[in-house]
């Protein structure tokens, strides 16, 4: 991998690491090493990196800011492309906004509000990037990304990029086409509406206060762990089963919000996965409901 890292840097891709612990790049602060971690500085260097990776025939995967992600303890083989600061442009075009995949969703909610544009308020507590939000069809507060996305530019595995419409991305609850067809979000275009900036700011502030009071934001976590089942909430089911505060190793069902698992210190991916399995089996036994994880699990155990 050292030879490929040198080739990437010679090609002008400055941020390249070998055997980099991905615990340094996830909000859970958990994860073994990536053989090769690459952070492109722009779209052109991302495409160049993908060409080099293909030439050497090594597997690759993509991360953003590392939220909603559990990397197993032995890490990820091959190359990991980190799409973050390098693709973080934001351009307003009337009531439309075109945003790079590495742009923070929280920042986007704030900036669109300052511009007097409404529709993005739900994203004020989503800790990931625009690219990850498109991949997951991220949502909160009764809304999600599919309701405002016009289209997104996707770089596919063969090196070609294509703009896909909202319909072509096949969104459903926490799901998109990209979970079936491998590709990298480059940028996304959203349709918003004119609103009152003070009202938008008040909504964002109220949502932030509610999260501060109900979610363990001061501890390493990855957001909601389980998808909500139809007509119910995963957190309610987990709490009713007496699992709030239940702990395995360094991983604990949050005492503040039962659909969060927190890293109390030194948690491993194995701890988290064992805890997820225990929660699922308990809820299945008590309620006959199989809770499906919302977090993505990647890498080698």
């Amino acid at each position: 991998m050292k030879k490929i890292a040198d080739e990437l840097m010679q090609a002008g891709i400055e941020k390249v690491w070998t055997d980099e612990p991905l615990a340094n790049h996830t909000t859970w602060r958990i994860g073994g090493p990536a053989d090769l971690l690459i952070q492109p500085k722009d779209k052109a260097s991302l495409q160049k990196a993908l060409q080099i990776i293909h030439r050497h025939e090594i597997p690759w995967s993509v991360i953003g800011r590392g939220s909603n992600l559990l990397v197993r303890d032995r890490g990820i083989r091959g190359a990991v492309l980190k799409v973050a600061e390098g693709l973080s442009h934001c351009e307003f075009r009337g009531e439309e906004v075109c945003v790079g995949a590495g742009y923070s969703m929280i920042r986007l909610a704030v900036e669109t509000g300052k511009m007097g544009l409404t529709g993005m308020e739900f994203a004020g507590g989503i800790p990931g990037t625009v690219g990850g939000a498109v991949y997951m069809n991220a949502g909160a507060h009764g809304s999600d990304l599919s309701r405002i996305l016009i289209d997104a530019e996707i770089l596919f595995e063969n090196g070609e990029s294509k703009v896909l419409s909202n319909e072509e991305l096949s969104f459903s609850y926490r799901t998109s086409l990209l979970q079936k067809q491998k590709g990298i979000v480059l940028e996304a275009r959203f349709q918003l509406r004119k609103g009152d900036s003070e009202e938008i700011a008040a909504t964002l502030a109220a949502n932030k206060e509610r999260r501060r009071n109900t979610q363990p934001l001061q501890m390493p976590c990855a957001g909601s762990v389980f998808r909500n089942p139809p007509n119910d909430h995963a957190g309610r089911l987990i709490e009713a089963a007496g699992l709030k505060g239940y702990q395995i190793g360094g991983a604990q069902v949050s005492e503040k919000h039962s659909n969060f698992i927190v890293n109390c210190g030194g948690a491993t991916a194995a701890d988290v996965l064992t805890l997820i399995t225990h929660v699922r089996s308990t809820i299945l036994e008590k309620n006959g409901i199989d809770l499906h994880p919302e977090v993505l699990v990647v890498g080698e155990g």
Side-chain angles (χ1 to χ4, degrees):
M1 287 296 172
K2 180 66 168 60
K3 180 180 178 182
I4 300 173
D6 290 341
E7 184 178 344
L8 287 160
M9 288 187 280
Q10 288 170 7
I13 303 163
E14 299 170 358
K15 294 187 176 182
V16 181
W17 300 263
T18 56
D19 296 318
E20 173 68 9
L22 290 171
N24 297 334
H25 302 270
T26 64
T27 59
W28 239 327
R29 298 291 177 259
I30 293 171
D35 290 343
L36 195 62
L37 180 65
I38 307 162
Q39 185 173 318
K41 62 184 177 181
D42 53 28
K43 189 190 298 186
S45 65
L46 174 57
Q47 291 174 310
K48 191 177 296 182
L50 200 57
Q51 289 171 358
I52 293 171
I53 289 167
H54 278 157
R55 186 160 65 248
H56 289 278
E57 298 183 334
I58 59 175
W60 61 273
S61 53
V62 184
I63 65 171
R65 293 175 184 264
S67 63
N68 201 50
L69 179 70
L70 180 65
V71 179
R72 293 179 187 268
D73 296 312
R74 290 180 60 191
I76 300 178
R77 305 288 68 79
V80 176
L81 294 158
K82 183 175 181 178
V83 179
E85 291 83 359
L87 291 171
S88 57
H89 58 278
C90 180
E91 181 184 353
F92 289 92
R93 305 168 183 171
E95 295 181 13
E96 292 182 9
V97 58
C98 185
V99 196
Y103 204 86
S104 159
M105 286 293 285
I106 293 175
R107 183 182 175 192
L108 182 59
V110 172
E111 294 301 319
T112 54
K114 287 179 180 177
M115 296 293 290
L117 295 174
T118 185
M120 191 65 72
E121 290 90 328
F122 75 91
I126 295 175
T129 60
V130 167
V134 172
Y135 180 91
M136 285 299 298
N137 186 23
H141 306 295
S143 189
D144 60 39
L145 185 134
S146 70
R147 302 191 188 196
I148 55 172
L149 184 107
I150 301 171
D151 52 36
E153 183 181 3
I154 312 297
L155 177 62
F156 287 102
E157 197 167 12
N158 62 5
E160 296 180 1
S161 63
K162 184 178 180 182
V163 175
L164 298 184
S165 68
N166 186 307
E167 292 75 17
E168 289 172 316
L169 284 162
S170 302
F171 289 119
S172 59
Y173 179 62
R174 303 294 180 266
T175 305
S176 75
L177 171 73
L178 298 176
Q179 294 177 30
K180 299 176 182 177
Q181 187 173 347
K182 192 172 184 179
I184 305 170
V185 180
L186 298 177
E187 66 179 26
R189 192 162 56 109
F190 300 102
Q191 179 67 61
L192 304 176
R193 308 180 309 279
K194 289 189 182 298
D196 183 278
S197 57
E198 292 186 2
E199 290 181 6
I200 296 168
T203 298
L204 289 172
N207 289 343
K208 183 177 180 179
E209 181 65 14
R210 183 161 63 251
R211 287 192 306 276
R212 189 181 69 81
N213 292 331
T214 61
Q215 298 178 6
L217 303 180
Q218 76 284 2
M219 301 184 73
C221 61
S224 296
V225 173
F226 297 101
R227 303 172 187 229
N228 288 324
N231 305 313
D232 210 336
H233 294 278
R236 188 200 70 77
L237 290 166
I238 296 166
E239 183 172 356
L243 292 173
K244 180 178 276 191
Y246 190 89
Q247 186 166 341
I248 294 177
Q252 181 191 55
V253 175
S254 169
E255 295 179 337
K256 207 167 189 179
H257 192 308
S258 296
N259 198 18
F260 282 64
I261 290 176
V262 296
N263 180 353
C264 295
T268 64
D271 292 339
V272 174
L273 289 169
T274 304
L275 185 52
I276 286 174
T277 299
H278 177 73
V279 170
R280 289 186 73 180
S281 62
T282 301
I283 301 305
L284 184 60
E285 181 180 345
K286 286 181 175 291
N287 304 92
I289 296 172
D290 187 8
L291 292 179
H292 295 282
E294 182 174 317
V295 293
L296 302 176
V297 181
V298 298
E300 294 186 346

